[in-house]
Amino acid sequence: MKKLSTSSSNPINHGVPLLFLLLLLSQLLPITSRKFLRSHLADGDSATYIWPLPWQYTSGNQTLTVDPSLSLVATGSGGGSVIVAEAFERYKRITFKHAAKLPGSGIGYDLTKLNLIVHSENEELQLGVDESYTLTIAAGSGLSIIGQITIEANSVYGALRGLETLSQLCAFDYGAKTVKVYRAPWYIQDKPRFMYRGLLLDTSRHYLPTDIIKRVIESMSYAKLNVLHWHIIDEESFPLEVPSYPNLWKGSYTKWERYTIEDASDIVSFAKMRGINVLAEVDVPGHAESWGTGYPELWPSASCREPLDVSKNFTFDLLSGMLADMRKIFPFELFHLGGDEVHTDCWSSTPHVKQWLQDHNMTGKDAYQYFVLRAQEIAISLNWTPVNWEETFNTFPASLNPRTVVHNWLQAGVCPRAVAQGFRCIFSDQGVWYLDHLDVPWEKVYYVEPLEGINDVSEEKLVLGGEVCMWGETADASNVQQTIWPRAAAAAERLWSKKESTSAKNSTLETLSRLEYFRCLLTRRGVPAAPVTNFYARRPPIGPGSCYSQ
């Protein structure tokens, strides 16, 4: 995690009286929200609560039943995609979890077939892939009593987003024991506002089994997030197998807390099937003490273990071989090289490194720049676009490769400065989008604007999007998902939906009710999402009550 973080993660630090007051207030808001929600759900109107909010939609006042044996008719050049076929079956299992188990009643259903039209057979998943789609649910008219569902998309990944929206429009009626679509007919035109909508997952501070990582990826698809930033390695542990340098994963916590290259490839493939890229990170030259467990020569000295030794060619030979191995696993065009929190005192205090600095007429700051730029050159030679934390831009912007993507985290205002100098930027301001800051409420996550301070249209286009960060010092397999959700969903809607329809704070009550509904959708799908209105994230409910109001 970024060590300069100052937001408290301990509620005791806020003082008992203040904590009591905030907890009391957090319970008053759901009372109003509960009334608002019940007034809208009185007729089973779950359709109001699509998350993230589509760009354009119209609806009617009819209720249609959906056949649990819903069939797929996929056409277009991409209609035969395995990605589409598997997604359809996956969403059928989610949507008809109850209805599919019931004996046939012989009743006629209004909606029996999904027409899915995909215009491209290209399944390459890269930055900016077309995720737009249209969804039409039309009731029967005239002599026809059968309605139609149609999803049309330019890519298989747009089709995935349309299937998610369709699944949210379908609700199980426990009385009639059928799946229904309320407020039909529906017409939805949808697309993402930003091409990069990410979640950082840290598996160095606490090892996360591959099944947990996959569950996080699955849950990301429900909120239409599309980049898993996998912070695999840090100073505490090195869990990844690197065939060219097999001693590196001696830096893992134990021999049972590791990822083989097959594990990593499986995670990338699993994510692609859900339209999610995997952005891997190797954080250099700081945050790399664990590397020296297997190769001690990477340390400046036994007592001074990071940053990595800048004076040795072996350091860069190893980095080059390691990235070449990783390039075989991670096809995404972006690769994160870290570059944050580099404290060069170790270099200046180690005799042979100090001598190297003097021989090359370098200061510690110069050597920091030298290391970052050499790492960038290696990544670019492997046809990657380098991403670096903002310290690199803050320290030597004129020297960075122009292709560099600047990743903001320290404070607001970095993206405006970066795009003004022609760099692309990813927004992750720690004050609002660091999920390990447990005292940041959903509203603060939701109402941040990634383009704040940028008024030029050409510069706005350089902001790729944003990312919420799940640093792992205080989260492991037991609580990582309830720390991620539902606050990550607040950022997901900010990154997907139209700014004009989600920025008005006078609609907070309606937004809260939709987010509470989405949180309950997550829990129904097996995602252990925490209550929305917690003062302290991942705190359990304090008493009996509905899922929709805790």
Side-chain angles (χ1 to χ4, degrees):
M1 176 185 169
K2 311 301 139 192
K3 296 175 182 174
L4 295 180
S5 165
T6 57
S7 178
S8 170
S9 61
N10 184 349
I12 298 175
N13 293 340
H14 293 273
V16 174
L18 177 58
L19 175 60
F20 177 78
L21 177 60
L22 288 169
L23 288 174
L24 178 62
L25 290 173
S26 74
Q27 297 306 307
L28 291 178
L29 185 55
I31 294 173
T32 307
S33 174
R34 187 183 310 133
K35 292 178 179 177
F36 183 91
L37 185 65
R38 285 179 176 172
S39 69
H40 282 67
L41 293 182
D43 60 351
D45 181 16
S46 62
T48 306
Y49 296 91
I50 305 170
W51 194 283
L53 198 66
W55 272 59
Q56 295 179 359
Y57 60 93
T58 60
S59 60
N61 56 13
Q62 298 184 46
T63 298
L64 304 178
T65 58
V66 188
D67 189 344
S69 299
L70 185 73
S71 62
L72 173 66
V73 179
T75 58
S77 57
S81 168
V82 173
I83 293 175
V84 169
E86 289 194 11
F88 175 72
E89 293 301 323
R90 189 166 64 245
Y91 278 109
K92 275 189 73 173
R93 289 192 294 271
I94 291 171
T95 303
F96 300 105
K97 180 172 61 175
H98 300 294
K101 299 175 182 178
L102 298 172
S105 61
I107 65 171
Y109 294 96
D110 300 312
L111 301 169
T112 61
K113 180 174 64 175
L114 168 61
N115 299 301
L116 205 158
I117 307 164
V118 183
H119 293 297
S120 173
E121 63 183 3
N122 185 359
E123 294 182 353
E124 183 180 7
L125 180 60
Q126 288 292 357
L127 195 65
V129 69
D130 191 339
E131 297 174 271
S132 65
Y133 68 91
T134 59
L135 169 61
T136 305
I137 301 178
S141 60
L143 297 177
S144 172
I145 61 170
I146 303 299
Q148 288 190 349
I149 307 173
T150 302
I151 295 174
E152 186 171 3
N154 292 322
S155 78
V156 295
Y157 303 109
L160 295 185
R161 308 307 174 217
L163 285 168
E164 173 58 42
T165 298
L166 175 61
S167 74
Q168 292 189 28
L169 288 175
C170 294
F172 185 67
D173 183 329
Y174 283 85
K177 295 187 179 181
T178 57
V179 171
K180 294 181 177 179
V181 172
Y182 299 94
R183 290 181 57 192
W186 279 92
Y187 179 72
I188 295 173
Q189 283 187 307
D190 205 8
K191 62 180 181 179
R193 182 183 175 204
F194 291 100
M195 68 177 71
Y196 185 110
R197 306 179 306 281
L199 167 68
L200 179 147
L201 194 63
D202 173 11
T203 60
S204 173
R205 278 47 182 264
H206 282 98
Y207 173 82
L208 297 176
T210 54
D211 282 352
I212 296 295
I213 297 174
K214 287 181 177 181
R215 289 173 197 169
V216 170
I217 292 170
E218 187 81 61
S219 63
M220 289 171 63
S221 70
Y222 301 154
K224 298 187 174 74
L225 293 172
N226 70 346
V227 179
L228 176 74
H229 176 175
W230 191 4
H231 189 87
I232 313 174
I233 303 156
D234 212 290
E235 61 191 31
E236 290 85 356
S237 75
F238 194 115
L240 181 67
E241 179 184 15
V242 178
S244 297
Y245 291 90
N247 290 339
L248 277 171
W249 70 353
K250 287 185 177 181
S252 63
Y253 287 121
T254 66
K255 63 182 180 181
W256 299 281
E257 295 172 289
R258 292 174 172 175
Y259 305 105
T260 65
I261 54 173
E262 292 81 9
D263 290 333
S265 295
D266 183 42
I267 286 169
V268 170
S269 298
F270 184 90
K272 181 178 180 179
M273 295 298 288
R274 288 146 184 82
I276 294 172
N277 277 300
V278 179
L279 168 68
E281 179 177 359
V282 170
D283 196 348
V284 291
H287 289 279
E289 180 181 339
S290 62
W291 300 32
T293 304
Y295 296 95
E297 56 268 50
L298 292 170
W299 292 331
S301 72
S303 60
C304 202
R305 299 183 172 186
E306 64 180 21
L308 296 172
D309 194 330
V310 68
S311 71
K312 294 178 181 175
N313 286 329
F314 175 71
T315 301
F316 296 98
D317 291 342
L318 183 145
L319 180 60
S320 182
M322 176 183 173
L323 294 188
D325 283 350
M326 294 181 73
R327 192 60 172 116
K328 299 171 186 175
I329 304 171
F330 299 102
F332 190 34
E333 66 193 73
L334 302 182
F335 189 86
H336 210 300
L337 290 167
D340 62 300
E341 298 178 327
V342 177
H343 307 293
T344 60
D345 292 349
C346 188
W347 288 341
S348 303
S349 62
T350 303
H352 78 272
V353 182
K354 182 179 180 181
Q355 185 62 51
W356 183 88
L357 293 174
Q358 292 174 352
D359 292 345
H360 290 80
N361 195 28
M362 285 189 188
T363 64
K365 179 181 176 181
D366 296 331
Y368 168 41
Q369 174 181 311
Y370 168 79
F371 200 115
V372 168
L373 297 185
R374 276 197 72 172
Q376 286 194 336
E377 289 173 3
I378 295 169
I380 291 170
S381 73
L382 294 167
N383 199 30
W384 265 323
T385 296
V387 184
N388 284 99
W389 294 109
E390 69 174 72
E391 286 95 326
T392 58
F393 170 76
N394 295 338
T395 308
F396 43 89
S399 300
L400 285 175
N401 189 288
R403 294 172 58 182
T404 304
V405 177
V406 177
H407 195 165
N408 151 250
W409 75 274
L410 277 168
Q411 58 190 355
V414 173
C415 283
R417 290 192 290 109
V419 299
Q421 296 187 45
F423 292 103
R424 291 179 293 174
C425 192
I426 296 169
F427 177 89
S428 290
D429 181 357
Q430 64 167 334
V432 288
W433 279 9
Y434 267 33
L435 298 173
D436 58 303
H437 292 195
L438 301 180
D439 52 2
V440 175
W442 76 268
E443 304 99 311
K444 197 169 181 181
V445 177
Y446 187 83
Y447 287 113
V448 68
E449 173 47 53
L451 297 183
E452 185 176 359
I454 304 173
N455 301 312
D456 183 276
V457 174
S458 62
E459 292 181 357
E460 288 180 351
K461 293 179 180 179
L462 294 176
V463 178
L464 300 180
E467 174 180 292
V468 285
C469 299
M470 184 62 258
W471 295 106
E473 285 89 342
T474 60
D476 66 5
S478 70
N479 61 3
V480 66
Q481 289 217 72
Q482 52 263 60
T483 313
I484 292 171
W485 305 108
R487 291 180 302 160
E493 182 160 282
R494 172 64 50 234
L495 292 168
W496 177 279
S497 303
K498 188 188 302 184
K499 177 183 177 182
E500 293 75 17
S501 60
T502 58
S503 59
K505 291 195 176 184
N506 58 6
S507 64
T508 295
L509 189 60
E510 182 178 355
T511 302
L512 172 59
S513 66
R514 288 194 305 108
L515 183 56
E516 286 183 325
Y517 189 90
F518 183 72
R519 179 256 173 169
C520 295
L521 177 143
L522 291 174
T523 62
R524 288 198 302 272
R525 294 183 180 185
V527 181
V532 176
T533 53
N534 278 345
F535 162 67
Y536 192 62
R538 75 180 180 225
R539 179 176 60 83
I542 63 173
S546 166
C547 171
Y548 298 98
S549 59
Q550 294 177 356

